[in-house]
Amino acid sequence: MITFLRLFLISFIYFFIIFPLQAEEDSWRDKGEYLIYSPRYFGPNAFPIPVLRTALAAERFEIEIRGEYHSYSGDKTKDINTRILFPLVKGRAGVEVYFLYKEKYKLTSETRDERSAVETESVDGYHGDVIVTSYFQILKSEKWADVMASANLKTASGGRLCDARFTDAASYWFDLTAGKNLYTNVENNASFRMQAMIGFYCWMTNDRVHRQNDALSFGIGYTGTYKGFTLSSDFSGFRGYENNGDKPLILRNDLRYEYRKNILSFRYDHGMRDRLYESYSIGYIRCF
């Protein structure tokens, strides 16, 4: 009798608990091929749009923490991220590490179905991807222009692939940025600078024929400073070749105020074309 009860219990657990879970997992895995690996059909942090820099290598060590809110009609997302900047050689080369610490979201059922996702809401916050950037000052010239190159790698550490939040696949991009000061006042406490960037962007996909998507990345913008205030805006994006929602554009605006190596940053990003989100964020940066 005891042996029979044990067999019955094991059979019950397998057929009514383990087997349904396996079937559900296999069901999602079968559905995974319908995910579209492009910015339009993933969460707001899955495909980072390259940052337009000033073309001047950093001279200070920086630590940043930032809270963001991304919104469009089918998706509301909140996240917390951190950034650490290490100048290896001041004004010449350095490394920057970005980590998305926690993301929460809520989708409409229409957006869930469009993305072939499983859930409409995050059960709990989860970690995102890590981005490592290496930058090098190629040229520094007041007469001509400043030129800087960077190499960027995004890891496959992000979670919730089943909800199209992160791709669970690596991507990388290289860019070249040129910038020049167009105005600096006599007191040297106000300036206006223009910069432009062009590069190559690549990410892995789930397409068995085209295992990766290649894109041209670009950006143009300005940076204005007055005493402790800095206002920067840029128009950036990239253009993939598969034409499946892989051409995001973004207009970024960042207002900063610095006081004794403490920086408070307010940012607003307007997404266009395949970048669906309006993004608002506030960050604190400590410089050393």
Side-chain angles (χ1 to χ4, degrees), residues 197-216:
M197 175 266 293
I198 191 166
F200 171 77
Y201 194 115
C202 176
W203 67 92
M204 302 299 107
T205 75
N206 62 342
D207 191 323
R208 296 180 182 180
V209 178
H210 303 100
R211 298 300 299 171
Q212 68 182 38
N213 195 339
D214 303 326
L216 172 70

Side-chain angles (χ1 to χ4, degrees), residues 243-261:
N243 197 30
N244 61 350
D246 56 0
K247 297 177 174 58
L249 299 172
I250 193 169
L251 177 62
R252 286 182 285 226
N253 304 276
D254 188 11
L255 176 63
R256 298 186 176 193
Y257 177 71
E258 179 174 354
Y259 179 73
R260 294 183 179 179
K261 296 185 179 181

Side-chain angles (χ1 to χ4, degrees), residues 1-47:
M1 178 62 70
I2 295 176
T3 302
F4 173 77
L5 290 175
R6 286 177 178 173
L7 290 173
F8 177 79
L9 182 60
I10 293 172
S11 300
F12 179 88
I13 292 174
Y14 178 79
F15 285 105
F16 292 95
I17 298 178
I18 296 177
F19 183 78
L21 290 177
Q22 289 177 339
E24 182 180 354
E25 181 179 355
D26 291 341
S27 176
W28 175 80
R29 290 297 176 185
D30 292 339
K31 192 178 179 181
E33 66 181 273
Y34 297 108
L35 293 174
I36 302 174
Y37 273 58
S38 71
R40 187 175 188 88
Y41 298 102
F42 266 75
N45 296 303
F47 291 88

